[in-house]
Amino acid sequence: MSAEDGAASSTEASGPYYHLRVADVIVETADSKSIVLEVPAEFAERFSYEAGQFLSFRVEVAGHRLVRCYSLASAPGLDAGHKVTVKRVVDGRASNWMNDEVSAGDELEVMPPAGVFVLRESDQPLVLFSGGSGITPCISILKTALATTSRQIKLLYANRDDRSIIFKDELNAMLSLHADRLEIVHRLDDVHGFCDAALIVQEIGPRTDADFYICGPGPFMDVVETGLESLSVPSDQIHIERFESLDSPSAAASAPVDTADGQVVTIVLDGDETDVVAAEGETILAAARRTGLEPPFACEEAYCGCCMAKVVEGEVTMKMNDGGIDQRQIDEGWVLTCQGLVKGKVRVEYPD
Ligand SMILES: Cc1cc2nc3c(=O)[nH]c(=O)nc-3n(C[C@H](O)[C@H](O)[C@H](O)COP(=O)(O)OP(=O)(O)OC[C@H]3O[C@@H](n4cnc5c(N)ncnc54)[C@H](O)[C@@H]3O)c2cc1C
C-alpha cells in the first residue's frame, strides 16, 4: 500500500489513539485495580468488542511513552463501561503507573478493541484456565457465555493466595445464579501448591470435546498445555492469550542481519527522524529495534496494533494482518510495522 493510495482523512483521535475519559477506578485486590472507560456515542462503533478482546493504552511513564495491552474484563452488551483490570508487575512501568496515577475524570489514550482470543460459537462445553490477572479476558468470556448460551462451563482459577483472587465476589454471584452449569475451581499456591499437568487432566475429566481457553503466567499456561497435549486435544479447541511484555530486545531484534541489499527507511519516532536500513525480508519494526530505536510494540504477530505507524512516503506491504489494523486505518496509510516490508525508499511516522 502506498501513502498516496488513501487520503489521510482526520480521525477523531491522535493517530490510532482515542482519548477516553476514565469513569471509575475500582480497587480489586491489594495489587490490582480496574479502570472503567466512558466511550462517547460517536466512538461506540469503533469501540464495539467481542468477549475476550483487549485494548491498547499509550501512557507516558517517567518521560517514556509505553504502549501496553489490557484485556477487557467487562462483557459486551452486559456491562455499561469498557473495563480493564491492571495487576501490578514487580518493577513494571505501565502497570504500576496505571495503579498509582489513574483517577476518575482522567483521559487515557486508547486504541480500539483487538484480539482473537474470543468466544467462538459452539454448543460444546467451555473450560477456562486462568492464572492471576489472566482472569480478565476469561471473565468476559464466562459472563457472555452464561448470558448468551446454555453451554456447560468450568473455570479453573489459580492464584497465589485467597487475597489475590480478582473478581472473587462477582464469580461467587455467578456461581449461585448458574450452579446448574457453572463450576469454579480455585487453586491457591499457598494451600494447594502449583498446578501440574496431572491435575489439569483430572480437572478436565471427560470434557475433552470442550473449547479450552488459557490465560495466565507462562509456567501456568505451559502446564495446562502439557495436560491438554497428553489428552490429544486438537489444537483448534485450544485458545491461548499471552500477556508477556515484550519490551526487551527479542532474539530476532538482536540477531545479525545482512543489510548489503537493504532499503533505507526514514523513521519518525517521538519527533526524531532516523534513517535505518531494512535488510531484505526484514520488517520495519525489526530494523528499527536492531538499530537501537524503541518503537512501541507488543504481540509481533499482527493482532494487537501497538506497532502501527503511518506511511507518508513510499510503499510498504504487510506480510499479514490478523486483525491488528482495520481497513479504514489501512486506507488512511497506517501499517503494522511488525509486518511491514519496504519497497524502495520509505518514510514512516509513529503516532505523536
Ligand atoms: C493481549 C494482552 C492482554 C493483556 N491483558 C492484561 C490484563 O488484562 N491485565 C494485566 O494486568 N496485564 C495484562 N497484560 C500485560 C500488560 O500488557 C503488561 O505487559 C504488564 O502490565 C506489564 O507491563 P509493565 O509496563 O508494568 O512492565 P514492564 O515495565 O514492561 O516490565 C515487565 C517485567 O520486565 C522487567 N523489566 C522491565 N524492564 C527491564 C529491563 N530493562 N531489564 C530487565 N527486566 C526488565 C520488569 O521488572 C518486569 O518484571 C496483557 C498483555 C497482552 C499482550
Side-chain angles (χ1 to χ4, degrees):
M1 116 209 16
S2 78
E4 291 85 356
D5 287 344
S9 69
S10 72
T11 63
E12 310 86 338
S14 51
Y17 295 96
Y18 289 69
H19 294 257
L20 297 186
R21 209 178 73 87
V22 175
D24 200 6
V25 174
I26 304 161
V27 176
E28 301 287 359
T29 62
D31 59 2
S32 63
K33 283 183 183 168
S34 290
I35 295 170
V36 184
L37 299 166
E38 219 175 84
V39 175
E42 69 263 37
F43 300 164
E45 202 191 319
R46 296 286 290 136
F47 276 82
S48 67
Y49 65 103
E50 288 183 66
Q53 288 195 303
F54 61 86
L55 298 174
S56 299
F57 292 76
R58 185 169 69 172
V59 298
E60 193 161 325
V61 181
H64 290 278
R65 274 202 177 153
L66 306 171
V67 179
R68 293 288 183 273
C69 311
Y70 292 101
S71 298
L72 285 151
S74 48
L78 301 172
D79 294 307
H82 287 50
K83 180 174 82 177
V84 295
T85 305
V86 183
K87 184 168 177 170
R88 290 182 192 273
V89 166
V90 178
D91 295 332
R93 290 156 293 173
S95 60
N96 286 295
W97 185 88
M98 299 281 262
N99 270 272
D100 293 332
E101 304 296 336
V102 177
S103 314
D106 289 353
E107 267 195 0
L108 291 175
E109 288 188 299
V110 191
M111 269 194 212
V116 292
F117 185 74
V118 294
L119 182 63
R120 317 273 155 129
E121 258 185 54
S122 160
D123 296 328
Q124 296 303 103
L126 196 56
V127 179
L128 309 164
F129 291 102
S130 303
S133 60
I135 189 63
T136 50
C138 291
I139 196 169
S140 179
I141 288 172
L142 173 53
K143 274 198 258 190
T144 304
L146 285 173
T148 62
T149 75
S150 54
R151 299 169 75 170
Q152 292 291 323
I153 308 173
K154 176 163 184 167
L155 167 68
L156 184 142
Y157 185 14
N159 277 288
R160 270 196 313 264
D161 52 38
D162 186 67
R163 280 164 308 153
S164 312
I165 303 176
I166 306 174
F167 309 132
K168 190 168 147 192
D169 294 343
E170 198 175 348
L171 290 169
N172 282 340
M174 288 184 212
L175 202 50
S176 48
L177 271 178
H178 299 279
D180 55 328
R181 65 186 179 106
L182 173 62
E183 183 189 350
I184 299 181
V185 175
H186 287 287
R187 292 287 306 186
L188 303 177
D189 299 346
D190 66 342
V191 177
H192 311 105
F194 291 138
C195 297
D196 60 21
L199 172 93
I200 299 301
V201 169
Q202 186 187 318
E203 292 293 345
I204 292 169
R207 301 175 198 81
T208 49
D209 55 348
D211 271 336
F212 297 93
Y213 286 78
I214 313 168
C215 186
F220 170 79
M221 296 204 292
D222 292 346
V223 158
V224 177
E225 283 189 83
T226 306
L228 288 167
E229 261 168 39
S230 74
L231 292 169
S232 304
V233 173
S235 59
D236 63 355
Q237 285 171 235
I238 304 173
H239 312 285
I240 297 173
E241 185 74 299
R242 299 195 182 278
F243 272 12
E244 288 109 63
S245 173
L246 296 168
D247 230 9
S248 55
S250 67
S254 47
V257 160
D258 179 4
T259 54
D261 294 322
Q263 307 283 349
V264 175
V265 191
T266 303
I267 294 177
V268 182
L269 175 66
D270 294 334
D272 293 328
E273 197 173 304
T274 312
D275 281 346
V276 163
V277 180
E280 179 87 38
E282 189 182 31
T283 65
I284 297 171
L285 177 68
R289 297 183 70 214
R290 179 175 48 73
T291 44
L293 294 178
E294 295 183 351
F297 70 96
C299 76
E300 291 184 275
E301 289 178 3
Y303 67 82
C304 78
C306 287
C307 66
M308 216 181 277
K310 199 167 202 172
V311 183
V312 292
E313 187 190 326
E315 198 174 335
V316 174
T317 53
M318 285 194 290
K319 289 195 284 184
M320 65 172 198
N321 172 22
D322 199 1
I325 187 166
D326 63 27
Q327 191 55 49
R328 172 169 140 173
Q329 291 165 321
I330 292 172
D331 292 345
E332 287 171 1
W334 297 94
V335 291
L336 299 172
T337 57
C338 74
Q339 303 298 321
L341 300 176
V342 301
K343 275 194 176 174
K345 191 167 163 26
V346 162
R347 180 184 174 91
V348 295
E349 293 179 357
Y350 283 91
D352 284 336

PDB file of all heavy atoms in Angstrom, residues 247-282:
ATOM      1  N   ASP A 247       9.100  -5.914  25.913  1.00  0.00           N
ATOM      2  CA  ASP A 247       9.829  -4.663  25.712  1.00  0.00           C
ATOM      3  C   ASP A 247      11.333  -4.820  25.565  1.00  0.00           C
ATOM      4  O   ASP A 247      12.009  -3.948  25.067  1.00  0.00           O
ATOM      5  CB  ASP A 247       9.553  -3.708  26.865  1.00  0.00           C
ATOM      6  CG  ASP A 247       9.140  -2.350  26.335  1.00  0.00           C
ATOM      7  OD1 ASP A 247       8.912  -2.253  25.124  1.00  0.00           O
ATOM      8  OD2 ASP A 247       9.065  -1.429  27.117  1.00  0.00           O
ATOM      9  N   SER A 248      11.873  -5.953  26.013  1.00  0.00           N
ATOM     10  CA  SER A 248      13.317  -6.112  25.913  1.00  0.00           C
ATOM     11  C   SER A 248      13.653  -6.614  24.514  1.00  0.00           C
ATOM     12  O   SER A 248      12.832  -7.267  23.878  1.00  0.00           O
ATOM     13  CB  SER A 248      13.810  -7.102  26.959  1.00  0.00           C
ATOM     14  OG  SER A 248      13.102  -8.294  26.811  1.00  0.00           O
ATOM     15  N   PRO A 249      14.867  -6.334  24.044  1.00  0.00           N
ATOM     16  CA  PRO A 249      15.185  -6.729  22.669  1.00  0.00           C
ATOM     17  C   PRO A 249      14.993  -8.227  22.477  1.00  0.00           C
ATOM     18  O   PRO A 249      15.508  -9.023  23.243  1.00  0.00           O
ATOM     19  CB  PRO A 249      16.662  -6.348  22.521  1.00  0.00           C
ATOM     20  CG  PRO A 249      16.935  -5.380  23.607  1.00  0.00           C
ATOM     21  CD  PRO A 249      15.987  -5.698  24.724  1.00  0.00           C
ATOM     22  N   SER A 250      14.194  -8.613  21.490  1.00  0.00           N
ATOM     23  CA  SER A 250      13.958 -10.031  21.263  1.00  0.00           C
ATOM     24  C   SER A 250      15.146 -10.609  20.507  1.00  0.00           C
ATOM     25  O   SER A 250      15.974  -9.890  19.972  1.00  0.00           O
ATOM     26  CB  SER A 250      12.681 -10.229  20.451  1.00  0.00           C
ATOM     27  OG  SER A 250      12.868  -9.711  19.164  1.00  0.00           O
ATOM     28  N   ALA A 251      15.211 -11.943  20.459  1.00  0.00           N
ATOM     29  CA  ALA A 251      16.309 -12.593  19.746  1.00  0.00           C
ATOM     30  C   ALA A 251      16.352 -12.090  18.311  1.00  0.00           C
ATOM     31  O   ALA A 251      17.409 -11.780  17.774  1.00  0.00           O
ATOM     32  CB  ALA A 251      16.094 -14.095  19.789  1.00  0.00           C
ATOM     33  N   ALA A 252      15.143 -11.960  17.704  1.00  0.00           N
ATOM     34  CA  ALA A 252      15.097 -11.519  16.300  1.00  0.00           C
ATOM     35  C   ALA A 252      15.696 -10.135  16.145  1.00  0.00           C
ATOM     36  O   ALA A 252      16.392  -9.846  15.176  1.00  0.00           O
ATOM     37  CB  ALA A 252      13.657 -11.523  15.817  1.00  0.00           C
ATOM     38  N   ALA A 253      15.449  -9.273  17.123  1.00  0.00           N
ATOM     39  CA  ALA A 253      15.915  -7.895  17.009  1.00  0.00           C
ATOM     40  C   ALA A 253      17.421  -7.787  17.168  1.00  0.00           C
ATOM     41  O   ALA A 253      18.021  -6.831  16.695  1.00  0.00           O
ATOM     42  CB  ALA A 253      15.220  -7.033  18.051  1.00  0.00           C
ATOM     43  N   SER A 254      18.043  -8.740  17.874  1.00  0.00           N
ATOM     44  CA  SER A 254      19.481  -8.617  18.091  1.00  0.00           C
ATOM     45  C   SER A 254      20.294  -9.566  17.195  1.00  0.00           C
ATOM     46  O   SER A 254      21.516  -9.568  17.250  1.00  0.00           O
ATOM     47  CB  SER A 254      19.806  -8.854  19.569  1.00  0.00           C
ATOM     48  OG  SER A 254      19.137  -9.986  20.025  1.00  0.00           O
ATOM     49  N   ALA A 255      19.606 -10.381  16.374  1.00  0.00           N
ATOM     50  CA  ALA A 255      20.327 -11.317  15.501  1.00  0.00           C
ATOM     51  C   ALA A 255      21.067 -10.541  14.410  1.00  0.00           C
ATOM     52  O   ALA A 255      20.585  -9.505  13.954  1.00  0.00           O
ATOM     53  CB  ALA A 255      19.333 -12.281  14.859  1.00  0.00           C
ATOM     54  N   PRO A 256      22.254 -11.054  13.974  1.00  0.00           N
ATOM     55  CA  PRO A 256      22.981 -10.359  12.911  1.00  0.00           C
ATOM     56  C   PRO A 256      22.182 -10.383  11.608  1.00  0.00           C
ATOM     57  O   PRO A 256      21.521 -11.369  11.298  1.00  0.00           O
ATOM     58  CB  PRO A 256      24.284 -11.158  12.778  1.00  0.00           C
ATOM     59  CG  PRO A 256      24.121 -12.389  13.578  1.00  0.00           C
ATOM     60  CD  PRO A 256      22.919 -12.268  14.442  1.00  0.00           C
ATOM     61  N   VAL A 257      22.239  -9.271  10.866  1.00  0.00           N
ATOM     62  CA  VAL A 257      21.436  -9.146   9.653  1.00  0.00           C
ATOM     63  C   VAL A 257      22.320  -8.568   8.556  1.00  0.00           C
ATOM     64  O   VAL A 257      23.145  -7.694   8.819  1.00  0.00           O
ATOM     65  CB  VAL A 257      20.249  -8.183   9.952  1.00  0.00           C
ATOM     66  CG1 VAL A 257      19.658  -7.629   8.680  1.00  0.00           C
ATOM     67  CG2 VAL A 257      19.168  -8.896  10.754  1.00  0.00           C
ATOM     68  N   ASP A 258      22.162  -9.089   7.325  1.00  0.00           N
ATOM     69  CA  ASP A 258      22.946  -8.573   6.200  1.00  0.00           C
ATOM     70  C   ASP A 258      22.155  -7.454   5.527  1.00  0.00           C
ATOM     71  O   ASP A 258      21.121  -7.705   4.905  1.00  0.00           O
ATOM     72  CB  ASP A 258      23.201  -9.730   5.223  1.00  0.00           C
ATOM     73  CG  ASP A 258      23.999  -9.266   4.000  1.00  0.00           C
ATOM     74  OD1 ASP A 258      24.396  -8.076   3.977  1.00  0.00           O
ATOM     75  OD2 ASP A 258      24.210 -10.087   3.096  1.00  0.00           O
ATOM     76  N   THR A 259      22.642  -6.228   5.671  1.00  0.00           N
ATOM     77  CA  THR A 259      21.900  -5.080   5.128  1.00  0.00           C
ATOM     78  C   THR A 259      22.456  -4.610   3.774  1.00  0.00           C
ATOM     79  O   THR A 259      22.066  -3.552   3.285  1.00  0.00           O
ATOM     80  CB  THR A 259      21.937  -3.899   6.129  1.00  0.00           C
ATOM     81  OG1 THR A 259      23.300  -3.627   6.444  1.00  0.00           O
ATOM     82  CG2 THR A 259      21.154  -4.209   7.386  1.00  0.00           C
ATOM     83  N   ALA A 260      23.351  -5.438   3.171  1.00  0.00           N
ATOM     84  CA  ALA A 260      24.016  -5.003   1.928  1.00  0.00           C
ATOM     85  C   ALA A 260      23.007  -4.599   0.853  1.00  0.00           C
ATOM     86  O   ALA A 260      23.181  -3.588   0.170  1.00  0.00           O
ATOM     87  CB  ALA A 260      24.919  -6.131   1.414  1.00  0.00           C
ATOM     88  N   ASP A 261      21.911  -5.393   0.705  1.00  0.00           N
ATOM     89  CA  ASP A 261      20.903  -5.061  -0.320  1.00  0.00           C
ATOM     90  C   ASP A 261      19.669  -4.413   0.311  1.00  0.00           C
ATOM     91  O   ASP A 261      18.561  -4.517  -0.231  1.00  0.00           O
ATOM     92  CB  ASP A 261      20.473  -6.341  -1.063  1.00  0.00           C
ATOM     93  CG  ASP A 261      21.631  -6.907  -1.855  1.00  0.00           C
ATOM     94  OD1 ASP A 261      22.389  -6.104  -2.416  1.00  0.00           O
ATOM     95  OD2 ASP A 261      21.787  -8.148  -1.873  1.00  0.00           O
ATOM     96  N   GLY A 262      19.868  -3.786   1.452  1.00  0.00           N
ATOM     97  CA  GLY A 262      18.712  -3.240   2.178  1.00  0.00           C
ATOM     98  C   GLY A 262      18.160  -1.947   1.583  1.00  0.00           C
ATOM     99  O   GLY A 262      18.721  -1.378   0.647  1.00  0.00           O
ATOM    100  N   GLN A 263      17.053  -1.508   2.141  1.00  0.00           N
ATOM    101  CA  GLN A 263      16.392  -0.272   1.706  1.00  0.00           C
ATOM    102  C   GLN A 263      16.377   0.708   2.866  1.00  0.00           C
ATOM    103  O   GLN A 263      16.214   0.292   4.024  1.00  0.00           O
ATOM    104  CB  GLN A 263      14.930  -0.557   1.334  1.00  0.00           C
ATOM    105  CG  GLN A 263      14.725  -1.671   0.334  1.00  0.00           C
ATOM    106  CD  GLN A 263      15.047  -1.216  -1.091  1.00  0.00           C
ATOM    107  OE1 GLN A 263      15.220  -0.022  -1.349  1.00  0.00           O
ATOM    108  NE2 GLN A 263      15.158  -2.165  -2.000  1.00  0.00           N
ATOM    109  N   VAL A 264      16.498   1.974   2.533  1.00  0.00           N
ATOM    110  CA  VAL A 264      16.522   2.979   3.599  1.00  0.00           C
ATOM    111  C   VAL A 264      15.083   3.329   4.014  1.00  0.00           C
ATOM    112  O   VAL A 264      14.233   3.608   3.166  1.00  0.00           O
ATOM    113  CB  VAL A 264      17.256   4.258   3.136  1.00  0.00           C
ATOM    114  CG1 VAL A 264      17.161   5.349   4.209  1.00  0.00           C
ATOM    115  CG2 VAL A 264      18.706   3.939   2.828  1.00  0.00           C
ATOM    116  N   VAL A 265      14.845   3.273   5.296  1.00  0.00           N
ATOM    117  CA  VAL A 265      13.540   3.693   5.832  1.00  0.00           C
ATOM    118  C   VAL A 265      13.799   4.865   6.761  1.00  0.00           C
ATOM    119  O   VAL A 265      14.605   4.766   7.694  1.00  0.00           O
ATOM    120  CB  VAL A 265      12.905   2.598   6.725  1.00  0.00           C
ATOM    121  CG1 VAL A 265      11.455   2.944   7.033  1.00  0.00           C
ATOM    122  CG2 VAL A 265      13.038   1.236   6.131  1.00  0.00           C
ATOM    123  N   THR A 266      13.111   5.954   6.503  1.00  0.00           N
ATOM    124  CA  THR A 266      13.205   7.078   7.431  1.00  0.00           C
ATOM    125  C   THR A 266      12.096   6.908   8.456  1.00  0.00           C
ATOM    126  O   THR A 266      10.922   6.813   8.096  1.00  0.00           O
ATOM    127  CB  THR A 266      13.059   8.415   6.682  1.00  0.00           C
ATOM    128  OG1 THR A 266      14.081   8.450   5.681  1.00  0.00           O
ATOM    129  CG2 THR A 266      13.209   9.594   7.626  1.00  0.00           C
ATOM    130  N   ILE A 267      12.512   6.837   9.718  1.00  0.00           N
ATOM    131  CA  ILE A 267      11.539   6.578  10.782  1.00  0.00           C
ATOM    132  C   ILE A 267      11.421   7.818  11.657  1.00  0.00           C
ATOM    133  O   ILE A 267      12.430   8.325  12.173  1.00  0.00           O
ATOM    134  CB  ILE A 267      11.996   5.365  11.634  1.00  0.00           C
ATOM    135  CG1 ILE A 267      11.958   4.108  10.752  1.00  0.00           C
ATOM    136  CG2 ILE A 267      11.116   5.194  12.861  1.00  0.00           C
ATOM    137  CD1 ILE A 267      12.440   2.857  11.428  1.00  0.00           C
ATOM    138  N   VAL A 268      10.209   8.297  11.810  1.00  0.00           N
ATOM    139  CA  VAL A 268       9.980   9.434  12.706  1.00  0.00           C
ATOM    140  C   VAL A 268       9.320   8.892  13.960  1.00  0.00           C
ATOM    141  O   VAL A 268       8.235   8.312  13.919  1.00  0.00           O
ATOM    142  CB  VAL A 268       9.087  10.514  12.030  1.00  0.00           C
ATOM    143  CG1 VAL A 268       8.908  11.705  12.958  1.00  0.00           C
ATOM    144  CG2 VAL A 268       9.693  10.936  10.692  1.00  0.00           C
ATOM    145  N   LEU A 269      10.035   9.038  15.070  1.00  0.00           N
ATOM    146  CA  LEU A 269       9.568   8.483  16.343  1.00  0.00           C
ATOM    147  C   LEU A 269       9.815   9.527  17.427  1.00  0.00           C
ATOM    148  O   LEU A 269      10.940  10.005  17.573  1.00  0.00           O
ATOM    149  CB  LEU A 269      10.353   7.190  16.645  1.00  0.00           C
ATOM    150  CG  LEU A 269      10.115   6.514  17.973  1.00  0.00           C
ATOM    151  CD1 LEU A 269       8.685   5.980  18.075  1.00  0.00           C
ATOM    152  CD2 LEU A 269      11.104   5.347  18.171  1.00  0.00           C
ATOM    153  N   ASP A 270       8.778   9.873  18.160  1.00  0.00           N
ATOM    154  CA  ASP A 270       8.876  10.890  19.212  1.00  0.00           C
ATOM    155  C   ASP A 270       9.498  12.182  18.678  1.00  0.00           C
ATOM    156  O   ASP A 270      10.318  12.822  19.354  1.00  0.00           O
ATOM    157  CB  ASP A 270       9.704  10.372  20.402  1.00  0.00           C
ATOM    158  CG  ASP A 270       9.000   9.235  21.110  1.00  0.00           C
ATOM    159  OD1 ASP A 270       7.752   9.167  21.038  1.00  0.00           O
ATOM    160  OD2 ASP A 270       9.696   8.397  21.718  1.00  0.00           O
ATOM    161  N   GLY A 271       9.165  12.505  17.433  1.00  0.00           N
ATOM    162  CA  GLY A 271       9.641  13.766  16.845  1.00  0.00           C
ATOM    163  C   GLY A 271      11.040  13.676  16.267  1.00  0.00           C
ATOM    164  O   GLY A 271      11.484  14.597  15.578  1.00  0.00           O
ATOM    165  N   ASP A 272      11.770  12.592  16.508  1.00  0.00           N
ATOM    166  CA  ASP A 272      13.124  12.461  15.960  1.00  0.00           C
ATOM    167  C   ASP A 272      13.091  11.634  14.676  1.00  0.00           C
ATOM    168  O   ASP A 272      12.346  10.661  14.580  1.00  0.00           O
ATOM    169  CB  ASP A 272      14.058  11.768  16.959  1.00  0.00           C
ATOM    170  CG  ASP A 272      14.298  12.629  18.179  1.00  0.00           C
ATOM    171  OD1 ASP A 272      14.295  13.867  18.037  1.00  0.00           O
ATOM    172  OD2 ASP A 272      14.449  12.052  19.278  1.00  0.00           O
ATOM    173  N   GLU A 273      13.951  12.024  13.742  1.00  0.00           N
ATOM    174  CA  GLU A 273      13.983  11.355  12.449  1.00  0.00           C
ATOM    175  C   GLU A 273      15.271  10.537  12.344  1.00  0.00           C
ATOM    176  O   GLU A 273      16.359  11.063  12.583  1.00  0.00           O
ATOM    177  CB  GLU A 273      13.983  12.472  11.396  1.00  0.00           C
ATOM    178  CG  GLU A 273      13.617  12.015  10.038  1.00  0.00           C
ATOM    179  CD  GLU A 273      13.476  13.221   9.101  1.00  0.00           C
ATOM    180  OE1 GLU A 273      12.688  14.145   9.400  1.00  0.00           O
ATOM    181  OE2 GLU A 273      14.185  13.217   8.080  1.00  0.00           O
ATOM    182  N   THR A 274      15.140   9.256  11.988  1.00  0.00           N
ATOM    183  CA  THR A 274      16.327   8.410  11.874  1.00  0.00           C
ATOM    184  C   THR A 274      16.248   7.606  10.587  1.00  0.00           C
ATOM    185  O   THR A 274      15.202   7.023  10.287  1.00  0.00           O
ATOM    186  CB  THR A 274      16.386   7.394  13.058  1.00  0.00           C
ATOM    187  OG1 THR A 274      16.171   8.090  14.273  1.00  0.00           O
ATOM    188  CG2 THR A 274      17.716   6.664  13.117  1.00  0.00           C
ATOM    189  N   ASP A 275      17.357   7.546   9.859  1.00  0.00           N
ATOM    190  CA  ASP A 275      17.413   6.680   8.679  1.00  0.00           C
ATOM    191  C   ASP A 275      17.940   5.312   9.101  1.00  0.00           C
ATOM    192  O   ASP A 275      19.000   5.206   9.725  1.00  0.00           O
ATOM    193  CB  ASP A 275      18.346   7.274   7.608  1.00  0.00           C
ATOM    194  CG  ASP A 275      17.653   8.382   6.829  1.00  0.00           C
ATOM    195  OD1 ASP A 275      16.407   8.490   6.931  1.00  0.00           O
ATOM    196  OD2 ASP A 275      18.361   9.143   6.141  1.00  0.00           O
ATOM    197  N   VAL A 276      17.180   4.284   8.751  1.00  0.00           N
ATOM    198  CA  VAL A 276      17.505   2.919   9.156  1.00  0.00           C
ATOM    199  C   VAL A 276      17.548   2.089   7.882  1.00  0.00           C
ATOM    200  O   VAL A 276      16.746   2.320   6.980  1.00  0.00           O
ATOM    201  CB  VAL A 276      16.364   2.407  10.078  1.00  0.00           C
ATOM    202  CG1 VAL A 276      16.378   0.919  10.225  1.00  0.00           C
ATOM    203  CG2 VAL A 276      16.422   3.100  11.431  1.00  0.00           C
ATOM    204  N   VAL A 277      18.470   1.117   7.803  1.00  0.00           N
ATOM    205  CA  VAL A 277      18.472   0.243   6.625  1.00  0.00           C
ATOM    206  C   VAL A 277      17.748  -1.049   6.984  1.00  0.00           C
ATOM    207  O   VAL A 277      18.141  -1.758   7.916  1.00  0.00           O
ATOM    208  CB  VAL A 277      19.912  -0.075   6.152  1.00  0.00           C
ATOM    209  CG1 VAL A 277      19.866  -0.988   4.927  1.00  0.00           C
ATOM    210  CG2 VAL A 277      20.652   1.210   5.839  1.00  0.00           C
ATOM    211  N   ALA A 278      16.661  -1.331   6.254  1.00  0.00           N
ATOM    212  CA  ALA A 278      15.926  -2.583   6.460  1.00  0.00           C
ATOM    213  C   ALA A 278      16.475  -3.611   5.476  1.00  0.00           C
ATOM    214  O   ALA A 278      16.488  -3.386   4.269  1.00  0.00           O
ATOM    215  CB  ALA A 278      14.434  -2.368   6.227  1.00  0.00           C
ATOM    216  N   ALA A 279      16.954  -4.727   6.012  1.00  0.00           N
ATOM    217  CA  ALA A 279      17.508  -5.782   5.153  1.00  0.00           C
ATOM    218  C   ALA A 279      16.381  -6.451   4.371  1.00  0.00           C
ATOM    219  O   ALA A 279      15.213  -6.306   4.708  1.00  0.00           O
ATOM    220  CB  ALA A 279      18.230  -6.818   6.007  1.00  0.00           C
ATOM    221  N   GLU A 280      16.766  -7.189   3.341  1.00  0.00           N
ATOM    222  CA  GLU A 280      15.791  -7.955   2.538  1.00  0.00           C
ATOM    223  C   GLU A 280      14.943  -8.825   3.474  1.00  0.00           C
ATOM    224  O   GLU A 280      15.486  -9.582   4.289  1.00  0.00           O
ATOM    225  CB  GLU A 280      16.612  -8.850   1.581  1.00  0.00           C
ATOM    226  CG  GLU A 280      15.804  -9.739   0.697  1.00  0.00           C
ATOM    227  CD  GLU A 280      15.418  -9.012  -0.588  1.00  0.00           C
ATOM    228  OE1 GLU A 280      16.247  -8.250  -1.098  1.00  0.00           O
ATOM    229  OE2 GLU A 280      14.276  -9.234  -1.036  1.00  0.00           O
ATOM    230  N   GLY A 281      13.639  -8.665   3.440  1.00  0.00           N
ATOM    231  CA  GLY A 281      12.748  -9.506   4.252  1.00  0.00           C
ATOM    232  C   GLY A 281      12.631  -9.066   5.706  1.00  0.00           C
ATOM    233  O   GLY A 281      11.907  -9.690   6.482  1.00  0.00           O
ATOM    234  N   GLU A 282      13.345  -8.004   6.072  1.00  0.00           N
ATOM    235  CA  GLU A 282      13.290  -7.559   7.470  1.00  0.00           C
ATOM    236  C   GLU A 282      12.141  -6.553   7.636  1.00  0.00           C
ATOM    237  O   GLU A 282      11.957  -5.653   6.812  1.00  0.00           O
ATOM    238  CB  GLU A 282      14.613  -6.903   7.848  1.00  0.00           C
ATOM    239  CG  GLU A 282      14.730  -6.609   9.337  1.00  0.00           C
ATOM    240  CD  GLU A 282      16.053  -5.913   9.693  1.00  0.00           C
ATOM    241  OE1 GLU A 282      16.578  -5.153   8.841  1.00  0.00           O
ATOM    242  OE2 GLU A 282      16.543  -6.125  10.803  1.00  0.00           O
TER     243      GLU A 282
END
